[in-house]
Amino acid sequence: MTPANDLTPSGAAAAPVVASRKRRDLLRFAALVGALLLFNFVGQQFFFRLDLTQEKRYTMSPATKQLLRDLKSPVTVTVYLEGDFPPAFRRLQQSVRETLNEFQVYGGANLHYVFVDPSAASTEKARNDYYATLLKKGLRPTNLAATENGKRVEKIIFPWATIAMGGKEKQVLLLRGNQAAPSDVRLNQSIEGLEYELASTIRKLAPGRRKRIGVVEGHGELNNAQAGDLLGSLQEYYDVYRVHLDKVPDLRALDAVIVAKPEKPYSEDEKFKLDQFVTQGGNALFFVDAMRVNLDSAARGGMLSFPYQLNLEDLLFKYGVRVNPNLVLDLNSGVIPLVTGMVGDKPNVEPMPWQFYPLINKFSAHPITRNLDAVYTKFVSSIDTVKAVGIRKTPLLFTSRYSRVLPSPVPINLNDARLEPDAKLYKQSFVPVGYLLEGQFKSLYANRAKPGTMQFQPATSPQAHPGKVLLIADGDFVRSEIDPKTGNPYRLGFDRLANTEFANRELVLNAVDYMLDETGLIAVRGKQITLRPLDKIKITEQRTRWQTLNLVAPLVLLGIFGVVRAWRRKRRYANFK
């Protein structure tokens, strides 16, 4: 018989087991909490973000990150894209918000943003007053169209943001891209450019050394009125000077020079100064005409256009390009005003297509021209490239598929605009009319004497540095039309006959940014986001099927999960005592 003191109650035997399990659970819980705290501490010390998208759409460029980290004063971004938008517009709205969220990660407490609904006023008068305030700031509304559920939807929006920093404020247009493209493509192009548009504006507001640009004069170049909008646009971000080459010893004090529509030849000494500037790391933008055209003579019965003699041909040839003595005609063209009859005692003037005014809507994928709207040219010539060792040549602008090249001398008569063009003559396609050259340029005067002296120039200068040259074979590319009523220049690229603003201004500013931006921020314009549209026909045909599947499938899966879980629980505890 077992002694009574050897008998232990079952509850007493189970007590140590329960205590052991409780201690183990507490230890596991404490270890989990400790691991979470440790992970949180490590995460604060070593910050990182993962972008799992194929095109890295949420990844900021190193230049943008550095710009935001270096902010010395608060930046406030006000976005006028709040409100109830159709899905296509909400995508732009959401992309702006996501971009600014990323900006806040690196800008920290120095970057704030707010979204504003311009139409949220309680009364119509208050709303109109607010609209008027935005218009005074230069924020123009846009009537953007999209297709939603097979219906065309239009929405008046203000696709703008204002960025304020250090008492200064700049406007940013958020809806860019090619206006001729479908609305969804244009929205996608705008989204691709959001980071650059916002970051570049912040950079231009941030205090720092302003680069210096010289606009050459003394050879019949554009005057202050004709180049008014170009000069005003550049002066917002750079120090701009008028430069007489014969009055300065050299151009070393400048970061870039602009040659805008010269009509008189350059002397050898002036050309030498340009050459030394470019070969020693300077940046130059040439907007030159190859052919002389006088519209007054063309209107009085016609004229023959002959080449200019600017004495720049050998310099550009040495750099790797040649502006041909011809004129390019294009069926995709602008218009010119012509008298078509009389209305009472007043002439009736109508705009007529003029093939000598090509509209350029085909560009390279370079950051200067990516997602750019059409640009306007007048009496433009073709450009060829020639051998230049060490120079990278990038064609930027091309005419359309239906072009025609007329060699010198070219007959020009405004009455030809009244005639229907013969499409069979327009057999040339995509003629290049603008080039970007980059690299270490060889001097035209290497192994020669400096003009006017016996000073011998070495084959390679000790001050040689890589530079950049932009050439567009149209001097009118940067000329603003003048308002006949006020005498003030219109915005660069604005055509008052078509009441359309082309992207000439944007291209020039992009080019100057590309040449003078040492941070590499302009490269962000090359960012590409792939558009993956759904098949609209399949959406219409299979809408009901997929809606039913999305509603029923989760309920069915939930029911199956519940049945399986109940069966397993019953099986597990069926024999439990």
Side-chain angles (χ1 to χ4, degrees):
M1 177 179 292
T2 305
N5 55 2
D6 289 340
L7 297 177
T8 304
S10 59
V17 176
V18 173
S20 176
R21 288 180 178 178
K22 185 175 181 180
R23 187 181 308 107
R24 182 185 61 189
D25 291 342
L26 288 174
L27 289 174
R28 286 180 177 179
F29 178 74
L32 178 62
V33 172
L36 290 174
L37 292 174
L38 179 63
F39 181 78
N40 186 53
F41 174 78
V42 173
Q44 289 180 340
Q45 301 300 316
F46 303 96
F47 169 78
F48 67 94
R49 295 166 74 85
L50 296 178
D51 184 355
L52 302 180
T53 59
Q54 182 178 1
E55 59 270 11
K56 302 300 179 184
R57 67 176 63 187
Y58 302 113
T59 301
M60 298 285 105
S61 72
T64 302
K65 294 177 184 177
Q66 191 62 44
L67 170 72
L68 297 172
R69 291 187 182 116
D70 292 343
L71 289 177
K72 303 300 183 184
S73 56
V75 175
T76 302
V77 183
T78 304
V79 184
Y80 300 95
L81 277 179
E82 189 63 43
D84 185 20
F85 297 135
F89 307 147
R90 283 202 300 271
R91 182 167 171 254
L92 175 63
Q93 178 193 48
Q94 183 61 24
S95 296
V96 175
R97 195 183 303 275
E98 291 169 352
T99 302
L100 290 173
N101 281 337
E102 288 293 310
F103 275 33
Q104 268 193 333
V105 170
Y106 301 102
N110 276 331
L111 194 139
H112 312 271
Y113 73 87
V114 61
F115 277 70
V116 175
D117 184 359
S119 60
S122 56
T123 64
E124 183 176 355
K125 182 180 182 303
R127 182 168 60 250
N128 291 336
D129 290 343
Y130 192 71
Y131 285 169
T133 302
L134 296 181
L135 289 171
K136 287 181 180 179
K137 289 184 176 182
L139 310 186
R140 301 180 303 279
T142 298
N143 188 8
L144 194 63
T147 301
E148 182 181 359
N149 297 330
K151 298 180 180 179
R152 183 178 176 83
V153 179
E154 293 187 358
K155 178 78 174 181
I156 296 178
I157 63 174
F158 284 84
W160 292 84
T162 59
I163 299 180
M165 179 182 183
K168 297 183 291 185
E169 184 178 271
K170 294 290 183 185
Q171 287 75 39
V172 182
L173 179 60
L174 303 174
L175 181 62
R176 291 191 176 271
N178 193 330
Q179 296 186 37
S183 58
D184 54 347
V185 174
R186 188 183 177 197
L187 282 168
N188 195 65
Q189 292 174 346
S190 301
I191 292 169
E192 289 177 339
L194 285 177
E195 180 185 344
Y196 172 74
E197 295 297 336
L198 295 169
S200 64
T201 304
I202 293 174
R203 176 176 62 84
K204 291 169 182 175
L205 286 171
R209 175 186 175 271
R210 286 165 63 95
K211 297 295 182 69
R212 300 158 66 91
I213 299 175
V215 181
V216 178
E217 61 181 0
H219 313 86
E221 290 91 352
L222 299 178
N223 57 37
N224 286 337
Q226 295 168 330
D229 189 62
L230 170 66
L231 299 178
S233 301
L234 292 174
Q235 285 171 345
E236 292 185 31
Y237 313 115
Y238 308 99
D239 292 333
V240 182
Y241 305 89
R242 282 287 194 174
V243 178
H244 276 272
L245 293 176
D246 59 349
K247 296 181 180 179
V248 294
D250 55 55
L251 301 172
R252 294 179 185 176
L254 301 175
D255 298 292
V257 295
I258 297 177
V259 177
K261 195 177 172 61
E263 296 181 348
K264 298 176 183 178
Y266 283 67
S267 68
E268 286 298 319
D269 183 61
E270 293 171 329
K271 192 166 60 174
F272 176 80
K273 293 173 183 176
L274 285 175
D275 176 75
Q276 294 299 292
F277 176 72
V278 171
T279 57
Q280 293 177 13
N283 305 284
L285 297 89
F286 290 89
F287 304 93
V288 296
D289 288 326
M291 305 289 289
R292 184 185 301 274
V293 177
N294 188 319
L295 281 180
D296 292 334
S297 299
R300 291 194 299 264
M303 63 161 290
L304 286 177
S305 176
F306 290 95
Y308 275 111
Q309 301 299 326
L310 300 176
N311 196 27
L312 291 174
E313 296 79 15
D314 55 348
L315 183 69
L316 296 174
F317 191 91
K318 184 68 175 179
Y319 295 162
V321 287
R322 177 180 62 210
V323 182
N324 296 312
N326 58 34
L327 289 177
V328 182
L329 287 73
D330 200 320
L331 291 182
N332 182 32
S333 62
V335 295
I336 195 168
L338 286 180
V339 178
T340 58
M342 300 294 294
V343 179
D345 58 346
K346 295 183 179 180
N348 182 45
V349 180
E350 293 185 13
M352 293 286 185
W354 183 234
Q355 286 74 42
F356 284 102
Y357 287 2
L359 296 181
I360 306 298
N361 202 23
K362 180 174 176 56
F363 308 98
S364 72
H366 194 274
I368 292 177
T369 51
R370 178 167 174 77
N371 292 339
L372 196 68
D373 201 0
V375 298
Y376 203 179
T377 62
K378 297 181 179 181
F379 300 111
V380 65
S381 301
S382 66
I383 300 176
D384 286 337
T385 59
V386 295
K387 184 177 180 180
V389 178
I391 302 301
R392 182 168 71 253
K393 311 176 188 72
T394 306
L396 297 179
L397 289 76
F398 305 87
T399 60
S400 78
R401 187 182 301 274
Y402 305 102
S403 304
R404 180 186 181 190
V405 177
L406 297 181
S408 173
V410 181
I412 299 176
N413 192 325
L414 294 189
N415 288 322
D416 292 343
R418 306 176 192 274
L419 306 177
E420 188 71 21
D422 186 358
K424 296 179 181 179
L425 300 176
Y426 293 78
K427 297 180 179 180
Q428 293 177 266
S429 302
F430 311 130
V431 179
V433 296
Y435 264 90
L436 175 70
L437 313 175
E438 301 173 90
Q440 180 57 66
F441 293 94
K442 305 299 182 183
S443 173
L444 176 65
Y445 298 91
N447 297 320
R448 293 168 53 184
K450 178 181 177 180
T453 71
M454 297 300 293
Q455 184 179 350
F456 184 77
Q457 299 299 307
T460 303
S461 170
Q463 289 85 30
H465 289 92
K468 302 182 183 72
V469 171
L470 174 76
L471 171 64
I472 294 181
D474 174 24
D476 291 304
F477 192 90
V478 290
R479 181 172 66 86
S480 297
E481 293 191 39
I482 305 299
D483 188 339
K485 296 180 180 180
T486 64
N488 297 324
Y490 288 112
R491 284 173 62 90
L492 180 58
F494 178 73
D495 179 22
R496 57 191 178 94
L497 292 177
N499 195 28
T500 302
E501 184 174 323
F502 295 93
N504 297 43
R505 184 173 183 264
E506 184 180 351
L507 187 148
V508 176
L509 294 180
N510 288 347
V512 174
D513 273 355
Y514 180 80
M515 291 178 164
L516 300 185
D517 179 20
E518 298 174 351
T519 65
L521 188 61
I522 186 66
V524 179
R525 279 185 54 83
K527 188 174 185 177
Q528 184 173 1
I529 297 176
T530 305
L531 191 63
R532 299 178 175 89
L534 298 176
D535 190 320
K536 295 180 180 179
I537 296 178
K538 285 187 177 181
I539 290 175
T540 303
E541 293 177 348
Q542 303 177 12
R543 179 186 300 273
T544 304
R545 182 195 313 172
W546 289 105
Q547 285 179 338
T548 304
L549 180 64
N550 287 333
L551 289 173
V552 174
L555 298 176
V556 172
L557 291 175
L558 185 61
I560 294 174
F561 173 78
V563 171
V564 171
R565 187 173 184 276
W567 176 76
R568 290 188 62 187
R569 183 178 179 83
K570 182 177 180 180
R571 181 180 178 184
R572 181 178 180 181
Y573 296 107
N575 298 323
F576 180 77
K577 294 183 181 180

